[in-house]
Amino acid sequence: MKKQSLNIDQLSCFTISNVQKVIPLYDEKIPNSKDVDTTDIFSTETEEFSFVTRVHTPDLTVFLPDKSKSTGIGVIICPGGAYLGLAINHEGYDIAKKLNEKGIAAFVLKYRLPNAEYVINKQIVPLQDAQRAIQIVRRNFKMFGINPNKIGIAGSSAGGHLASTAGTHFNKEFIDNPLKISLRPDFMILNYPVISMADSLTDFVSRYNLIGEGLSPKELNLILMDKKTSRQKLANLSIDPQKINEYSNELQVTSETPPTFITHSVDDNTVKVQNSILFIAALQKNRVPVESFFYANGGHGYGIVNPTSDINWIDSCINWILKIFVG
């Protein structure tokens, strides 16, 4: 994939093409980051799967459809990875390419991970970057060829938690916003999302990475290295109840929460399907439009292609988006 890097002040000359542009989220000093010497590291397990484990300079990779196909709709995509890393290919770039096929612009967000070694306040840093991404895309809608009122956010797994946080916490601004640009996404796409931080529902790795305190980064890494015992060990660690409630997004839904498409596998043993069910119930209670798509099988982490099914959820999702915003 050919990429071209741009600074924020270069967006005035941005032109639509098939070359992917990489836009840094911040021109100057990155807020809420420690002054450390680090670079992004990719751990590639296969040709199809890349897992970003360090992000010091967050950015957006821009995927624009052909002008002839453009619907004026845009989606910011948050890859998952338990707030430990980013599954940037199959939960990021692959989704972007699929959206482009149907005339939808896509922006893959490489957001900072909540690692106390690199950031000051780890619990707000992913949302900080998601809000900045919404701000950039909405401010520069003309250059991207999209409608500022048709900008959604998507996320898989922990990326789904980030997307749902952006869709339920948009009245709390964690970035400078002098132009008062709306940070509310116009719709959400949640793929096997972490929603709740409650003991009975949450993915304990995602929860501790985001809001857990007490362990040094080194101590946390030692626990995470043993995948067989890491979840149980993290489950036994106490978490501030106030933070659990604040980041349990099923508790944060209001009538202003954006319309949502949500999908999950019933047999998901990593992120329980009840996360999605509770979020749907909260949306319905608040009369927020919601469309759901459930698989009987598939487990967790498959991206847009569930190997147990001939039907891909993303096709139903795109139809839902086009029905709402195109008609």
Side-chain angles (χ1 to χ4, degrees):
M1 177 177 61
K2 187 176 181 182
K3 294 184 179 181
Q4 176 182 338
S5 294
L6 292 174
N7 292 321
I8 300 300
D9 59 6
Q10 291 178 306
L11 291 185
S12 60
C13 62
F14 188 93
T15 57
I16 294 177
S17 73
N18 291 324
V19 179
Q20 274 69 61
K21 308 293 194 302
V22 179
I23 301 172
L25 288 193
Y26 306 97
D27 278 339
E28 301 175 354
K29 183 176 175 59
I30 300 172
N32 196 21
S33 280
K34 293 181 178 179
D35 188 14
V36 293
D37 183 15
T38 185
T39 56
D40 297 345
I41 300 173
F42 287 76
S43 300
T44 304
E45 298 180 10
T46 70
E47 291 183 359
E48 292 79 24
F49 186 88
S50 291
F51 198 65
V52 181
T53 55
R54 296 287 187 275
V55 179
H56 188 244
T57 53
D59 60 44
L60 280 173
T61 300
V62 182
F63 291 75
L64 298 182
D66 291 335
K67 283 186 178 181
S68 61
K69 292 183 177 181
S70 179
T71 61
I73 301 168
V75 178
I76 295 163
I77 302 170
C78 307
Y83 284 126
L84 177 67
L86 306 178
I88 201 81
N89 279 4
H90 75 293
E91 292 180 354
Y93 303 146
D94 289 351
I95 296 175
K97 293 171 185 176
K98 185 68 176 180
L99 292 173
N100 274 187
E101 290 176 7
K102 300 299 182 179
I104 299 172
F107 308 82
V108 178
L109 175 60
K110 190 167 69 175
Y111 56 91
R112 286 172 293 167
L113 299 161
N115 188 325
E117 188 176 355
Y118 303 104
V119 301
I120 299 167
N121 183 345
K122 71 172 191 172
Q123 73 182 49
I124 69 168
V125 77
L127 179 57
Q128 205 166 28
D129 289 351
Q131 288 188 343
R132 176 63 171 162
I134 294 169
Q135 182 188 57
I136 289 173
V137 172
R138 185 161 277 140
R139 188 179 71 189
N140 295 282
F141 70 94
K142 289 183 180 179
M143 275 73 80
F144 297 133
I146 60 176
N147 186 317
N149 300 313
K150 297 181 180 182
I151 298 170
I153 193 164
S156 301
S157 193
H161 184 266
L162 175 54
S164 65
T165 304
T168 54
H169 293 68
F170 52 84
N171 287 322
K172 305 172 187 175
E173 294 187 355
F174 293 101
I175 58 170
D176 291 335
N177 192 19
L179 299 180
K180 302 301 179 185
I181 293 171
S182 172
L183 302 180
R184 176 187 180 273
D186 295 305
F187 60 95
M188 294 189 290
I189 303 168
L190 307 178
N191 183 28
Y192 43 77
V194 177
I195 294 292
S196 184
M197 297 283 116
D199 287 352
S200 60
L201 295 173
T202 197
D203 169 49
F204 292 106
V205 177
S206 298
R207 183 176 78 170
Y208 195 88
N209 281 329
L210 183 66
I211 61 174
E213 294 178 333
L215 295 178
S216 68
K218 184 177 180 180
E219 290 170 329
L220 179 57
N221 286 337
L222 287 174
I223 290 177
L224 293 173
M225 285 174 64
D226 188 348
K227 294 182 180 180
K228 292 183 179 180
T229 64
S230 60
R231 279 181 165 78
Q232 188 57 51
K233 287 181 179 179
L234 292 176
N236 293 334
L237 298 174
S238 62
I239 303 287
D240 184 342
Q242 184 174 347
K243 290 183 180 179
I244 287 177
N245 287 337
E246 182 179 0
Y247 287 95
S248 288
N249 291 332
E250 78 277 13
L251 304 178
Q252 309 305 325
V253 174
T254 71
S255 60
E256 295 182 335
T257 301
T260 302
F261 186 97
I262 192 165
T263 179
H264 219 123
S265 292
V266 174
D267 69 343
D268 190 335
N269 291 322
T270 301
V271 177
K272 295 177 181 178
V273 69
Q274 285 85 353
N275 280 265
S276 289
I277 292 171
L278 278 182
F279 199 67
I280 291 169
L283 292 168
Q284 291 175 334
K285 181 179 179 180
N286 286 275
R287 301 184 183 278
V288 176
V290 57
E291 182 96 356
S292 60
F293 186 106
F294 289 98
Y295 290 108
N297 301 294
H300 188 79
Y302 45 76
I304 59 175
V305 180
N306 184 335
T308 72
S309 176
D310 295 329
I311 302 173
N312 294 325
W313 66 267
I314 191 70
D315 295 323
S316 295
C317 178
I318 290 171
N319 290 337
W320 175 79
I321 296 170
L322 296 178
K323 182 179 178 180
I324 291 178
F325 289 105
V326 178

